[in-house]
CSV table of all heavy atoms in Angstrom, one decimal:
chain,number,residue,atom,x,y,z
N,36,ARG,N,77.2,67.6,143.7
N,36,ARG,CA,76.0,67.1,142.9
N,36,ARG,C,75.2,66.1,143.8
N,36,ARG,O,74.0,66.0,143.6
N,36,ARG,CB,76.4,66.5,141.6
N,36,ARG,CG,75.3,66.0,140.7
N,36,ARG,CD,74.6,67.2,140.2
N,36,ARG,NE,73.5,66.7,139.3
N,36,ARG,CZ,72.2,66.6,139.6
N,36,ARG,NH1,71.8,67.0,140.7
N,36,ARG,NH2,71.4,66.2,138.7
N,37,THR,N,75.9,65.5,144.8
N,37,THR,CA,75.2,64.5,145.6
N,37,THR,C,74.4,65.2,146.7
N,37,THR,O,73.6,64.5,147.4
N,37,THR,CB,76.2,63.5,146.2
N,37,THR,OG1,77.1,64.3,147.1
N,37,THR,CG2,76.9,62.8,145.2
N,38,LEU,N,74.5,66.5,146.9
N,38,LEU,CA,73.8,67.2,148.0
N,38,LEU,C,72.4,67.5,147.7
N,38,LEU,O,71.6,67.8,148.5
N,38,LEU,CB,74.5,68.6,148.3
N,38,LEU,CG,75.9,68.5,148.8
N,38,LEU,CD1,76.5,69.9,149.0
N,38,LEU,CD2,76.0,67.7,150.1
N,39,TYR,N,72.0,67.4,146.4
N,39,TYR,CA,70.6,67.7,146.0
N,39,TYR,C,70.2,66.8,144.8
N,39,TYR,O,71.0,66.1,144.2
N,39,TYR,CB,70.5,69.2,145.5
N,39,TYR,CG,71.3,69.5,144.4
N,39,TYR,CD1,70.8,69.4,143.1
N,39,TYR,CD2,72.6,70.0,144.5
N,39,TYR,CE1,71.6,69.8,142.0
N,39,TYR,CE2,73.4,70.3,143.4
N,39,TYR,CZ,72.9,70.2,142.2
N,39,TYR,OH,73.6,70.5,141.1
N,40,GLU,N,68.9,66.8,144.6
N,40,GLU,CA,68.3,66.1,143.5
N,40,GLU,C,67.3,67.1,142.8
N,40,GLU,O,66.4,67.6,143.5
N,40,GLU,CB,67.5,64.9,144.0
N,40,GLU,CG,66.9,64.1,142.9
N,40,GLU,CD,66.2,62.8,143.4
N,40,GLU,OE1,66.5,62.4,144.5
N,40,GLU,OE2,65.4,62.3,142.6
N,41,GLU,N,67.5,67.3,141.5
N,41,GLU,CA,66.6,68.2,140.8
N,41,GLU,C,65.4,67.4,140.4
N,41,GLU,O,65.4,66.3,140.0
N,41,GLU,CB,67.3,68.7,139.5
N,41,GLU,CG,66.5,69.7,138.8
N,41,GLU,CD,67.3,70.3,137.6
N,41,GLU,OE1,68.4,69.8,137.2
N,41,GLU,OE2,66.8,71.3,137.0
N,42,THR,N,64.2,68.1,140.5
N,42,THR,CA,63.0,67.4,140.1
N,42,THR,C,62.9,67.3,138.6
N,42,THR,O,63.6,68.0,137.8
N,42,THR,CB,61.7,68.3,140.5
N,42,THR,OG1,61.8,69.6,139.9
N,42,THR,CG2,61.7,68.5,142.0
N,43,GLU,N,62.1,66.3,138.1
N,43,GLU,CA,62.1,66.0,136.7
N,43,GLU,C,61.5,67.1,135.9
N,43,GLU,O,61.9,67.5,134.8
N,43,GLU,CB,61.2,64.7,136.5
N,43,GLU,CG,61.9,63.5,137.0
N,43,GLU,CD,61.0,62.2,136.8
N,43,GLU,OE1,60.1,62.3,135.9
N,43,GLU,OE2,61.3,61.2,137.4
N,44,GLU,N,60.5,67.8,136.4
N,44,GLU,CA,59.9,68.9,135.7
N,44,GLU,C,60.8,70.1,135.6
N,44,GLU,O,60.8,70.8,134.5
N,44,GLU,CB,58.6,69.4,136.4
N,44,GLU,CG,58.8,69.9,137.8
N,44,GLU,CD,57.5,70.2,138.5
N,44,GLU,OE1,56.4,69.6,138.1
N,44,GLU,OE2,57.5,71.0,139.4
N,45,SER,N,61.7,70.3,136.6
N,45,SER,CA,62.6,71.4,136.5
N,45,SER,C,63.7,71.1,135.4
N,45,SER,O,64.1,71.9,134.7
N,45,SER,CB,63.3,71.5,137.9
N,45,SER,OG,64.4,72.4,137.8
N,46,ALA,N,64.2,69.8,135.4
N,46,ALA,CA,65.2,69.5,134.4
N,46,ALA,C,64.6,69.6,133.0
N,46,ALA,O,65.3,70.1,132.1
N,46,ALA,CB,65.7,68.0,134.7
N,47,ALA,N,63.3,69.1,132.8
N,47,ALA,CA,62.7,69.2,131.5
N,47,ALA,C,62.5,70.7,131.1
N,47,ALA,O,62.8,71.0,129.9
N,47,ALA,CB,61.4,68.5,131.5
N,48,ALA,N,62.1,71.5,132.0
N,48,ALA,CA,61.9,73.0,131.7
N,48,ALA,C,63.3,73.6,131.3
N,48,ALA,O,63.3,74.4,130.4
N,48,ALA,CB,61.3,73.7,132.9
N,49,ARG,N,64.3,73.3,132.0
N,49,ARG,CA,65.6,73.9,131.7
N,49,ARG,C,66.1,73.4,130.4
N,49,ARG,O,66.7,74.2,129.6
N,49,ARG,CB,66.7,73.6,132.8
N,49,ARG,CG,66.5,74.4,134.1
N,49,ARG,CD,67.6,74.3,135.1
N,49,ARG,NE,68.1,72.9,135.2
N,49,ARG,CZ,69.3,72.5,134.7
N,49,ARG,NH1,70.0,73.3,134.0
N,49,ARG,NH2,69.7,71.2,135.0
N,50,GLU,N,65.9,72.1,130.1
N,50,GLU,CA,66.3,71.6,128.7
N,50,GLU,C,65.5,72.3,127.6
N,50,GLU,O,66.1,72.6,126.6
N,50,GLU,CB,66.1,70.1,128.7
N,50,GLU,CG,67.1,69.3,129.5
N,50,GLU,CD,68.5,69.4,128.9
N,50,GLU,OE1,68.7,69.5,127.7
N,50,GLU,OE2,69.4,69.4,129.8
N,51,ALA,N,64.2,72.5,127.8
N,51,ALA,CA,63.4,73.2,126.8
N,51,ALA,C,63.9,74.6,126.6
N,51,ALA,O,63.9,75.1,125.5
N,51,ALA,CB,62.0,73.1,127.2
N,52,GLN,N,64.2,75.3,127.7
N,52,GLN,CA,64.7,76.7,127.6
N,52,GLN,C,66.0,76.7,126.9
N,52,GLN,O,66.3,77.6,126.1
N,52,GLN,CB,64.8,77.2,129.0
N,52,GLN,CG,65.2,78.7,129.0
N,52,GLN,CD,65.3,79.3,130.4
N,52,GLN,OE1,65.6,78.5,131.4
N,52,GLN,NE2,65.1,80.5,130.6
N,53,ALA,N,66.9,75.8,127.2
N,53,ALA,CA,68.2,75.7,126.5
N,53,ALA,C,68.1,75.5,125.0
N,53,ALA,O,68.7,76.1,124.1
N,53,ALA,CB,69.1,74.6,127.1
N,54,ALA,N,67.1,74.6,124.6
N,54,ALA,CA,66.9,74.3,123.2
N,54,ALA,C,66.3,75.5,122.5
N,54,ALA,O,66.7,75.8,121.4
N,54,ALA,CB,65.9,73.1,123.1
N,55,ALA,N,65.4,76.3,123.2
N,55,ALA,CA,64.8,77.5,122.6
N,55,ALA,C,65.9,78.5,122.4
N,55,ALA,O,65.9,79.3,121.4
N,55,ALA,CB,63.7,78.0,123.5
N,56,ARG,N,66.9,78.6,123.3
N,56,ARG,CA,68.0,79.6,123.2
N,56,ARG,C,68.8,79.2,122.0
N,56,ARG,O,69.3,80.1,121.3
N,56,ARG,CB,68.8,79.6,124.5
N,56,ARG,CG,68.4,80.7,125.5
N,56,ARG,CD,69.5,80.9,126.5
N,56,ARG,NE,70.1,79.7,127.0
N,56,ARG,CZ,69.8,79.0,128.1
N,56,ARG,NH1,68.7,79.4,128.7
N,56,ARG,NH2,70.4,78.0,128.4
N,57,ARG,N,69.1,77.9,121.8
N,57,ARG,CA,69.9,77.5,120.7
N,57,ARG,C,69.3,77.8,119.4
N,57,ARG,O,70.0,78.1,118.4
N,57,ARG,CB,70.2,76.0,120.8
N,57,ARG,CG,71.3,75.7,121.8
N,57,ARG,CD,71.8,74.3,121.6
N,57,ARG,NE,70.7,73.3,121.9
N,57,ARG,CZ,70.5,72.8,123.1
N,57,ARG,NH1,71.1,73.1,124.1
N,57,ARG,NH2,69.5,71.9,123.2
N,58,LEU,N,68.0,77.7,119.3
N,58,LEU,CA,67.2,77.9,118.0
N,58,LEU,C,66.9,79.3,117.7
N,58,LEU,O,66.7,79.7,116.6
N,58,LEU,CB,65.9,77.1,118.1
N,58,LEU,CG,66.1,75.6,118.1
N,58,LEU,CD1,64.7,74.9,118.2
N,58,LEU,CD2,66.8,75.1,116.8
N,59,SER,N,66.9,80.2,118.7
N,59,SER,CA,66.6,81.6,118.5
N,59,SER,C,67.8,82.3,117.8
N,59,SER,O,68.9,81.9,118.0
N,59,SER,CB,66.3,82.3,119.8
N,59,SER,OG,67.4,82.4,120.6
N,60,ARG,N,67.4,83.3,117.0
N,60,ARG,CA,68.4,84.0,116.3
N,60,ARG,C,69.1,85.0,117.3
N,60,ARG,O,68.4,85.6,118.2
N,60,ARG,CB,67.8,84.8,115.2
N,60,ARG,CG,67.3,83.8,114.1
N,60,ARG,CD,66.5,84.5,113.1
N,60,ARG,NE,67.3,85.5,112.4
N,60,ARG,CZ,66.9,86.3,111.5
N,60,ARG,NH1,65.6,86.3,111.1
N,60,ARG,NH2,67.7,87.2,110.9
N,61,PRO,N,70.4,85.3,117.2
N,61,PRO,CA,71.0,86.2,118.1
N,61,PRO,C,70.6,87.6,117.8
N,61,PRO,O,70.1,87.9,116.7
N,61,PRO,CB,72.5,86.0,117.7
N,61,PRO,CG,72.6,85.4,116.4
N,61,PRO,CD,71.3,84.6,116.2
N,62,LEU,N,70.7,88.5,118.8
N,62,LEU,CA,70.3,89.8,118.7
N,62,LEU,C,71.1,90.5,117.6
N,62,LEU,O,72.3,90.5,117.6
N,62,LEU,CB,70.5,90.5,120.0
N,62,LEU,CG,70.0,92.0,120.2
N,62,LEU,CD1,68.5,92.0,120.0
N,62,LEU,CD2,70.4,92.5,121.5
N,63,GLY,N,70.4,91.2,116.7
N,63,GLY,CA,71.1,91.9,115.6
N,63,GLY,C,71.3,91.1,114.4
N,63,GLY,O,71.9,91.6,113.4
N,64,ALA,N,70.8,89.9,114.3
N,64,ALA,CA,71.0,89.0,113.2
N,64,ALA,C,70.2,89.5,112.0
N,64,ALA,O,70.6,89.2,110.8
N,64,ALA,CB,70.7,87.6,113.5
């Protein structure tokens, strides 16, 4: 983890994508 630093916009976009996945209904629901 010390080899790199993730940009703030990248971290925010990944968090938003993870939240959208959690809120979406599973396939076949």
Side-chain angles (χ1 to χ4, degrees):
R36 184 69 178 104
T37 63
L38 297 178
Y39 62 91
E40 181 178 342
E41 184 176 11
T42 62
E43 292 179 17
E44 63 185 25
S45 171
R49 283 189 321 103
E50 287 294 324
Q52 186 181 26
R56 267 195 320 267
R57 280 192 298 272
L58 294 175
S59 69
R60 295 173 60 185
L62 187 63

